[in-house]
Amino acid sequence: MEGFRYLDHTGDLGIELFGRSREALFEHAGEAFTDIVTDPATVHASFEVEISVDGADVEQLLVEWLTELIYRFDAQGWLFRRYRIRSLDDHHLSGTVQGEPYDPDRHPIRTTVKGATYHQLEVTRTEDGWKARVIFDL
Amino acid sequence: MSGEEIRGRSRDLMEALFRKLPSGVGSSRKDFELRRRDLHRVLEEGVGWTLEQGFGTREDRAHIEAEGCIPGADPSRVSDRALERGKRQLGTVGSGNHFVEVGRVQEIFDERAAAAMGLAKGMATVLIHTGSRGLGHQVCSDYISVMIKAARTYGIDLPDRQLCCAPVESREGRDYLAAMAGAANFAFVNRQMIMHWTREAFSELFGSGNGGLELVYDVCHNIAKLETHRVDGMATRLCVHRKGATRAFPPGHREVPERYRHVGQPVLVPGDMGRCSYVLAGTEAGYSETFGSACHGAGRVMSRKQAKKAAGGRSIVRELEERGVMVKGASRATLVEEISDAYKDVNDVVNVLHQAGISRKVAKLAPLVVIKG
């Protein structure tokens, strides 16, 4: 499987991610975040932004990556449609994201996210790639 | 003012509140912009800053936990990112379970405590439930990274990394408490500003100074505080972490405002937007058994996904209207996630608090108008 799916969680919201590579896994994490917040089909890839984050290991990197996207939306009003990870190792990630500023008339808000958590966080290797689980604090 | 007066004009009031109170993503008042210097003062001084700006009154201050300022806040311990997230969100309700609810006192359980709190049957009430907004969430995200490292430094074995921590007296612990106090002070100011604009809306519709609204109590939730409690008979300094909880101090405690000292601190337990909410009073039993804490809401019973499914094609607004509750939210998604069915029945939850003696029922509030972020 490739992409993401929602997990049922009483208090908050969880996602399960699948990717053939770690890069794909992180790109799907970005796509899942956009899908949580709004309808991705309404977001135009009009602008490109460079993003890089650091972490002590791949799991922390995943939380930091999502924390960065939450911050860009909550503080700066950015919504992204396309995610491209250029380089990714155990401690560093850099990539480009494409999107546009949030427009209340065009972007329906589904849920707002307070933060990405480490609760039950997992990034694991599978037979055909990578799998992860993240719970968001809503 | 009575609930009946509200009922006659509930639609007007709902529209007025919705206009005055910024709710929904990215919304803020056009006539209010915060400078960076002021944001630092908000974090350091809490409600002291708000009063200087003309939001709220001195009498309000006496009815706010810690008089609206947790000491020891240090904005330099708060990241630029957190400040940036907070800057545009001061004076906003926010989404999720946050709300402003106008209601009326439906039932009184404890006449003496209700009288002390100025509550009488049929009287109009306002509940404001919001907090430190994006600023607090970013402080949390930032310090989780710090605490994961700290747990390693201090050799603390974690069953789940989200439970990361450090000794209270460590540098990391002190930094966090200074940042958290800043976030709590931001939350006091946020609620005070929303209360001010709510008063404006009431005043415009019903006349009378301050819109006839007097602050009963403003209490924190989801916060850690350094307090002294008895442990095994010994007075012990503790860091009491009230997560999903709120403070409930007993009669006679010096941190309970004078007006309530003979009945105990007012404890606010909001329910969901369709049922009701409660005002309780703190007790001695609660003070010794739960370090003076009670739950701060009913708690969810359905995930948001389940709630969405349960709401299906239903018109939540119409359903509530039929039950006498007018509701307006910035998005349908929020209303759907917050349907009554998604929450435990607050009546059951509060009865447990009451019967266990953790807090005492004082009054039950029924909703009339609800604004969701």
Side-chain angles (χ1 to χ4, degrees):
Chain A
M1 190 181 163
E2 187 78 10
F4 65 89
R5 71 169 176 220
Y6 288 103
L7 296 171
D8 233 13
H9 195 276
T10 310
D12 296 303
L13 178 75
I15 49 167
E16 208 166 18
L17 303 161
F18 307 90
R20 265 175 218 108
S21 62
R22 284 205 299 193
E23 286 78 1
L25 189 82
F26 276 64
E27 287 167 2
H28 297 326
E31 288 155 14
F33 172 68
T34 305
D35 195 67
I36 290 169
V37 175
T38 189
D39 175 2
T42 64
V43 182
H44 303 313
S46 317
F47 298 89
E48 191 164 276
V49 182
E50 294 280 323
I51 292 184
S52 62
V53 294
D54 298 309
D57 53 38
V58 70
E59 291 183 338
Q60 186 165 20
L61 216 45
L62 182 57
V63 169
E64 291 295 337
W65 164 239
L66 290 164
T67 301
E68 179 75 28
L69 300 177
I70 293 164
Y71 163 77
R72 299 261 175 170
F73 176 61
D74 199 43
Q76 302 177 339
W78 279 103
L79 278 171
F80 302 116
R81 169 81 180 269
R82 288 203 194 104
Y83 298 85
R84 292 286 168 269
I85 305 294
R86 263 202 328 271
S87 72
L88 173 63
D89 58 33
D90 282 350
H91 307 291
H92 183 78
L93 168 162
S94 62
T96 53
V97 294
Q98 294 176 340
E100 61 172 334
Y102 165 65
D103 176 352
D105 294 332
R106 285 195 300 109
H107 302 130
I109 293 296
R110 290 178 171 166
T111 307
T112 54
V113 178
K114 291 177 184 171
T117 77
Y118 287 87
H119 178 51
Q120 296 178 352
L121 175 68
E122 250 179 37
V123 180
T124 46
R125 245 214 126 115
T126 59
E127 268 174 28
D128 50 357
W130 290 82
K131 197 176 123 179
R133 178 179 55 207
V134 187
I135 312 279
F136 291 96
D137 185 7
L138 300 183
Chain B
M1 189 183 310
S2 76
E4 277 315 302
E5 282 172 77
I6 306 270
R7 210 194 276 280
R9 301 197 63 186
S10 51
R11 187 169 296 274
D12 292 341
L13 181 61
M14 179 175 77
E15 296 300 337
L17 287 171
F18 203 73
R19 264 198 316 275
K20 293 234 176 235
L21 305 176
S23 32
V25 169
S27 66
S28 59
R29 296 258 307 203
K30 303 278 172 287
D31 59 351
F32 177 75
E33 206 182 331
L34 196 68
R35 287 166 306 175
R36 180 73 169 226
R37 187 160 27 109
D38 282 322
L39 184 55
H40 277 240
R41 289 193 54 205
V42 166
L43 267 61
E44 270 168 349
E45 300 168 33
V47 164
W49 178 85
T50 337
L51 287 178
E52 206 184 282
Q53 306 298 310
F55 297 105
T57 67
R58 305 235 155 247
E59 293 75 48
D60 292 340
R61 190 178 193 165
H63 292 171
I64 303 177
E65 177 174 347
E67 298 196 348
C69 183
I70 308 281
D74 181 354
S76 75
R77 303 296 100 190
V78 176
S79 72
D80 283 345
R81 293 201 150 200
L83 293 171
E84 203 185 328
R85 270 178 88 172
K87 190 167 171 276
R88 283 173 25 218
Q89 295 180 353
L90 190 65
T92 65
V93 178
S95 60
N97 64 354
H98 297 140
F99 63 80
V100 174
E101 178 182 299
V102 181
R104 68 185 169 85
V105 178
Q106 193 180 48
E107 199 176 343
I108 296 283
F109 305 95
D110 182 328
E111 290 289 349
R112 183 164 162 263
M117 295 176 195
L119 297 170
K121 197 170 172 181
M123 180 184 270
T125 55
V126 180
L127 272 174
I128 297 168
H129 178 65
T130 184
S132 55
R133 311 281 287 105
L135 183 135
H137 307 146
Q138 190 67 37
V139 166
C140 172
S141 291
D142 293 340
Y143 277 90
I144 279 188
S145 304
V146 172
M147 293 299 168
I148 284 176
K149 242 189 246 161
R152 236 174 276 142
T153 308
Y154 300 105
I156 300 166
D157 195 21
L158 300 171
D160 184 309
R161 279 211 264 184
Q162 192 67 17
L163 299 173
C164 55
C165 52
V168 170
E169 295 299 338
S170 65
R171 183 181 51 81
E172 295 89 342
R174 285 198 306 266
D175 283 353
Y176 174 67
L177 287 175
M180 186 210 63
N185 293 341
F186 179 97
F188 284 131
V189 171
N190 193 31
R191 288 188 292 268
Q192 191 79 9
M193 288 172 69
I194 290 168
M195 182 169 73
H196 176 79
W197 290 323
T198 300
R199 279 170 164 164
E200 269 184 13
F202 270 74
S203 182
E204 282 168 24
L205 276 178
F206 305 105
S208 74
N210 261 344
L213 298 175
E214 232 183 277
L215 178 61
V216 175
Y217 204 57
D218 180 343
V219 67
C220 301
H221 61 276
N222 297 345
I223 188 178
K225 286 181 96 177
L226 299 169
E227 294 169 359
T228 303
H229 290 271
R230 292 200 89 74
V231 179
D232 299 329
M234 297 270 289
T236 312
R237 193 85 175 134
L238 301 175
C239 182
V240 181
H241 183 191
R242 297 190 175 94
K243 169 66 186 163
T246 189
R247 199 181 73 171
F249 274 2
H253 195 289
R254 64 185 167 81
E255 281 194 51
V256 176
E258 244 174 72
R259 183 171 163 186
Y260 311 131
R261 206 162 286 166
H262 60 297
V263 293
Q265 179 213 303
V267 178
L268 311 172
V269 183
D272 60 80
M273 59 191 177
R275 289 191 184 104
C276 57
S277 296
Y278 279 87
V279 180
L280 298 95
T283 62
E284 264 315 322
Y287 195 59
S288 56
E289 281 178 36
T290 64
F291 298 135
S293 316
C295 60
H296 92 82
R300 293 189 79 90
V301 66
M302 263 187 211
S303 70
R304 285 166 166 90
K305 193 173 143 192
Q306 286 171 318
K308 226 173 268 176
K309 211 168 149 196
R314 288 158 55 185
S315 167
I316 304 305
V317 171
R318 211 177 45 231
E319 271 180 35
L320 285 166
E321 221 173 294
E322 279 161 12
R323 286 156 75 172
V325 187
M326 306 275 295
V327 56
K328 188 161 179 153
S331 75
R332 175 180 151 81
T334 316
L335 293 184
V336 164
E337 287 175 357
E338 297 292 312
I339 52 170
S340 288
D341 328 31
Y343 282 88
K344 287 177 203 153
D345 187 339
V346 68
N347 295 297
D348 297 340
V349 173
V350 161
N351 282 337
V352 170
L353 283 180
H354 183 82
Q355 280 155 20
I358 293 168
S359 287
R360 219 171 61 246
K361 288 202 282 189
V362 175
K364 181 173 173 173
L365 316 178
L368 294 169
V369 174
V370 182
I371 300 292
K372 295 290 280 186

